[in-house]
Structure formats: structure tokens, C-alpha cells
């Protein structure tokens, strides 16, 4: 059976290749890895480069099955010219093929050896354009998560972060964090934290992006536990980067109540970040506050003194904490 599939892919006509590519997906993982070494990757890539949607779809599924759980095959597909053809597929007008292509690119990007090559062929602006265009609303929820995951994989290569920033990646992520979808918000804010924690350029871009601080404060208030953790970590990095410039902006967005809440019931990492940010935000007398904001800051200072007296926010009674948070939110 394996030899027949190889022969059909290498020398068969359209129908023979379609049948062989479909049979590939039914092979065991061991069989697929073995057969990939017999020269079937180039003809599958060639099938993917046609204008025949059925052929492209079958070839994508076959190549995905070959790449699955095999770093060697992921590299082999990339070195055989698969990335450029795949990016062409991702830019076509067929929704199903675009989504399959994105899933395949995510698989290839999980291999460290492929990351620079993927970026060198222009994948970053293509992926960001998909997130920014009308295609975003037309694609499935999973496809959008796959795009964000692919960008996250690429961002783990620090040399690629400036490209993500220069093509507008920060503004795109801020916009996505504002969406109501919890999973999209989590993916976007996690990627944003990875960018700003790894690159000063990304951190500065995030800090000066219009609406970013407001967006992060809202994520810290309304997001999932993981989302809150990433949001407070980003706000802490922004404040630490230039305390005099950003602490007033953070306070004016009403972050105090959310930070106090997070310092008590967030994840362990979120609690630590929230406490550090709370202490950085103290003594902000020259931030141009309104009367209500000034009143809140006075209350905030009183709360911080009480926290210092008991040592940790967790040491305060639940009733007292709830009273403080309520006062800050009124």
C-alpha cells in the first residue's frame, strides 16, 4: 500500500494523486514518517500550488498529517518550498483553504528551525492583515486563534519582534483585547505581554498606543484569571519603564480597585504583580486629577498604609477589603 501511494503521488494523474493523498491521512504516524522520506513532499507541495481547490485541500491535509509530531518533516516541508506556496494559499479567497493554511502554518511555526524562514517570506504582515481585515469576521473562531498562536510562536524568536511591531502588531493586539471573546482576549494579551517583556521597542510602542492603558485596565477588571495576570504584568512593565510619565495615566483609568482586588484573589503571579504596581502608583500628586480622582488617591493612600500595617492585603478582613474596593469604585 505504501509503495502504491508513493508511486501515485510521484507519477500519477490528478485522480491518482487525490486518492493517494487521502490515503496518507489514514496511515499511522510511523507509516507517514517513513513514507515522507521517499520523495512525496515535493509533489504534494506542487499539488498545493495549483488552482484546483479540491487538490489544494487534499494536499494540505496530507502535508499536515506528515508534519504532525515530526520536527524533521516540518523542516523538510519548509526546505522544499512549502512556506511560499502556503502563504499564497492563505491569501486566496477560499475561506476553507485559508483556514487550513493557517492551521498548517501554525504547525510549521512550532518548529524553531522554521521561524526565521517563515518570517523571511513575509508571513508576519500577511497574518496581521488577516486579523485587521474583514476576513477576521468571516473566519472561524479557531482560525483566528491559530493566527494569534502562530504570531506567538514567531515572537519567541526575539529577532522577529521588531517586525511584528513595525507592521502594527501592537495596535492590532490592543484592538483584539477589546473584543468580547474571552479566548481571543487571552491569546492577544498573552502575546502582547510576550512582546513587551522581550523588547523595549515593543514596550514603548504599547505604552504610547492610544487607548492601550485603558484597554489593559479593563482587561484587568473584566477578563479571565489568566487575562488579568497578563494585563497587570504589562501595566507593571509600562509603569516601571517611566514611572513619572505613566503612573498618573494608569491611576486616571481607575486601576486602583482592580489592583487591590487582584492583589487578593488573582493568581499567585498576578498577586505579586498587582502588589508591586500598587506601591509604584503611590504619591501621584501631580497627575492632573479631577476632584473625584484626587479623593480616590487620598483614599488609595490610606488603603496602602493599612496594607503596610498588616503586611499583606490577604491579612486584611474580607469585609474591610470589600468596603475599600467599593469606595474606590464609587
Amino acid at each position: 500500500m505504501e509503495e502504491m501511494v508513493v508511486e501515485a503521488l510521484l507519477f500519477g494523474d490528478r485522480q491518482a494523486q487525490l486518492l493517494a493523498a487521502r490515503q496518507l491521512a489514514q496511515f499511522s504516524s510511523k507509516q507517514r514518517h517513513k513514507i515522507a522520506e521517499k520523495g512525496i513532499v515535493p509533489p504534494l507541495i506542487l499539488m498545493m500550488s495549483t488552482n484546483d481547490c479540491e487538490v489544494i485541500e487534499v494536499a494540505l491535509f496530507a502535508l499536515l498529517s506528515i508534519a504532525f509530531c515530526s520536527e524533521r518533516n516540518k523542516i523538510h516541508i519548509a526546505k522544499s518550498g512549502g512556506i511560499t506556496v502556503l502563504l499564497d494559499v492563505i491569501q486566496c479567497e477560499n475561506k476553507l483553504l485559508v483556514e487550513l493554511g493557517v492551521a498548517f502554518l501554525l504547525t510549521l511555526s512550532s518548529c524553531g528551525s522554521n521561524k526565521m524562514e517563515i518570517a523571511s517570506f513575509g508571513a508576519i504582515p500577511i497574518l496581521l492583515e488577516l486579523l485587521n481585515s474583514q476576513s477576521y469576521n468571516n473566519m472561524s473562531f479557531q482560525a483566528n486563534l491559530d493566527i494569534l498562536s502562530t504570531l506567538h510562536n514567531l515572537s519567541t524568536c526575539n529577532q522577529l519582534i521588531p517586525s511584528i511591531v513595525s507592521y502594527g502588531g501592537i495596535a492590532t493586539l490592543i484592538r483584539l483585547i477589546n473584543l468580547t471573546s474571552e479566548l481571543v482576549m487571552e491569546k492577544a494579551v498573552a502575546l502582547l505581554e510576550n512582546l513587551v517583556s522581550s523588547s523595549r521597542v515593543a514596550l514603548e510602542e504599547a505604552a504610547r498606543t492610544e487607548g492601550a492603558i485603558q484597554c489593559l485596565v479593563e482587561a484587568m477588571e473584566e477578563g479571565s484569571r489568566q487575562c488579568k495576570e497578563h494585563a497587570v504584568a504589562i501595566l507593571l512593565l509600562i509603569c516601571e519603564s517611566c514611572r513619572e510619565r505613566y503612573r498618573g495615566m494608569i491611576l486616571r483609568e481607575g486601576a486602583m480597585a482592580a489592583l487591590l482586588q487582584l492583589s487578593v484573589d488573582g493568581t499567585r503571579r498576578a498577586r505579586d504583580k498587582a502588589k508591586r504596581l500598587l506601591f509604584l502608583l503611590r504619591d501621584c500628586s501631580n497627575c492632573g486629577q479631577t476632584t473625584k480622582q484626587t479623593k480616590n488617591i487620598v483614599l488609595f493612600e490610606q488603603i496602602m498604609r493599612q496594607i503596610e500595617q498588616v503586611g499583606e492585603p490577604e491579612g486584611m478582613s474580607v469585609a474591610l477589603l470589600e468596603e475599600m474596593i467599593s469606595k474606590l469604585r464609587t
Side-chain angles (χ1 to χ4, degrees):
M1 176 66 76
E2 292 176 16
E3 293 303 324
M4 292 174 61
V5 167
V6 171
E7 185 174 350
L9 287 172
L10 292 174
F11 309 111
D13 58 16
R14 178 185 181 278
Q15 287 304 120
Q17 286 185 322
L18 282 173
L19 179 60
R22 288 190 175 106
Q23 287 176 326
L24 255 180
Q26 299 172 12
F27 286 174
S28 68
S29 176
K30 184 177 180 180
Q31 285 176 307
R32 290 196 299 269
H33 294 168
K34 180 181 177 181
I35 202 172
E37 299 174 355
K38 298 185 177 182
I40 64 168
V41 168
L44 285 170
I45 291 174
L46 192 60
M47 289 171 65
M48 198 168 61
S49 65
T50 67
N51 293 320
D52 188 324
C53 291
E54 182 183 7
V55 171
I56 295 171
E57 180 184 346
V58 172
L60 278 169
F61 272 119
L63 286 166
L64 260 171
S65 68
I66 291 172
F68 186 68
C69 291
S70 173
E71 298 299 288
R72 177 186 296 180
N73 287 345
K74 291 172 189 175
I75 294 171
H76 182 33
I77 291 168
K79 296 299 182 185
S80 299
I83 293 172
T84 52
V85 177
L86 182 56
L87 292 176
D88 287 338
V89 172
I90 288 173
Q91 295 175 88
C92 77
E93 296 182 359
N94 184 299
K95 177 185 172 182
L96 174 61
L97 295 182
V98 171
E99 295 190 0
L100 281 174
V102 167
F104 189 18
L105 188 63
L106 171 59
T107 300
L108 294 181
S109 72
S110 67
C111 175
S113 299
N114 287 341
K115 293 178 183 180
M116 291 297 294
E117 190 167 357
I118 289 171
S120 71
F121 287 114
I124 289 172
I126 291 171
L127 293 172
L128 289 172
E129 176 60 27
L130 283 175
L131 291 175
N132 287 320
S133 69
Q134 288 297 318
S135 299
Y136 174 83
N137 295 319
N138 295 328
M139 287 190 299
S140 70
F141 181 70
Q142 185 59 52
N144 289 307
L145 292 179
D146 287 347
I147 293 172
L148 287 169
S149 296
T150 302
L151 288 168
H152 199 290
N153 284 344
L154 297 179
S155 75
T156 60
C157 186
N158 286 348
Q159 302 98 302
L160 299 180
I161 292 179
S163 292
I164 297 174
V165 174
S166 66
Y167 284 112
I170 301 297
T172 297
L173 293 174
I174 294 298
R175 183 182 64 81
L176 292 176
I177 293 169
N178 275 320
L179 295 178
T180 55
S181 167
E182 187 173 287
L183 281 177
V184 169
M185 182 188 288
E186 277 190 19
K187 285 280 187 183
V189 76
L191 174 53
L192 184 59
E193 185 192 352
N194 191 60
L195 294 174
V196 300
S197 63
S198 304
S199 164
R200 182 75 183 187
V201 171
L203 178 59
E204 291 174 352
E205 181 68 19
R208 64 172 173 254
T209 297
E210 184 178 359
I213 290 177
Q214 177 186 357
C215 171
L216 290 167
V217 170
E218 290 175 355
M220 194 171 60
E221 292 173 334
E222 302 170 6
S224 65
R225 282 171 63 82
Q226 285 303 120
C227 185
K228 290 176 180 179
E229 177 183 313
H230 294 303
V232 71
I234 297 167
L235 286 169
L236 177 60
L237 287 168
I238 289 174
C239 194
E240 287 176 334
S241 72
C242 187
R243 181 170 178 258
E244 296 305 314
R245 178 182 299 174
Y246 296 117
R247 63 181 180 175
M249 296 170 65
I250 296 171
L251 283 169
R252 284 194 293 273
E253 294 300 337
M256 294 179 289
L259 284 170
L260 187 58
Q261 186 81 56
L262 202 55
S263 70
V264 177
D265 61 14
T267 65
R268 178 178 296 181
R269 181 169 178 262
R271 292 197 303 269
D272 175 67
K273 300 289 185 184
K275 292 168 194 172
R276 289 167 59 187
L277 184 52
L278 278 168
F279 283 100
L280 274 179
L281 294 177
R282 298 183 72 177
D283 186 27
C284 191
S285 57
N286 297 313
C287 299
Q289 301 94 341
T290 64
T291 302
K292 178 181 177 182
Q293 289 166 342
T294 302
K295 179 183 176 182
N296 277 351
I297 288 172
V298 171
L299 178 59
F300 174 54
E301 185 63 27
Q302 294 172 353
I303 291 171
M304 294 306 294
R305 289 198 188 103
Q306 287 182 280
I307 290 174
E308 286 180 331
Q309 289 173 6
V310 298
E312 294 288 344
E314 296 95 319
M316 303 171 70
S317 72
V318 173
L320 180 57
L321 275 171
E322 288 179 347
E323 179 185 354
M324 292 175 174
I325 292 168
S326 177
K327 286 180 179 179
L328 285 171
R329 285 177 171 160
T330 56

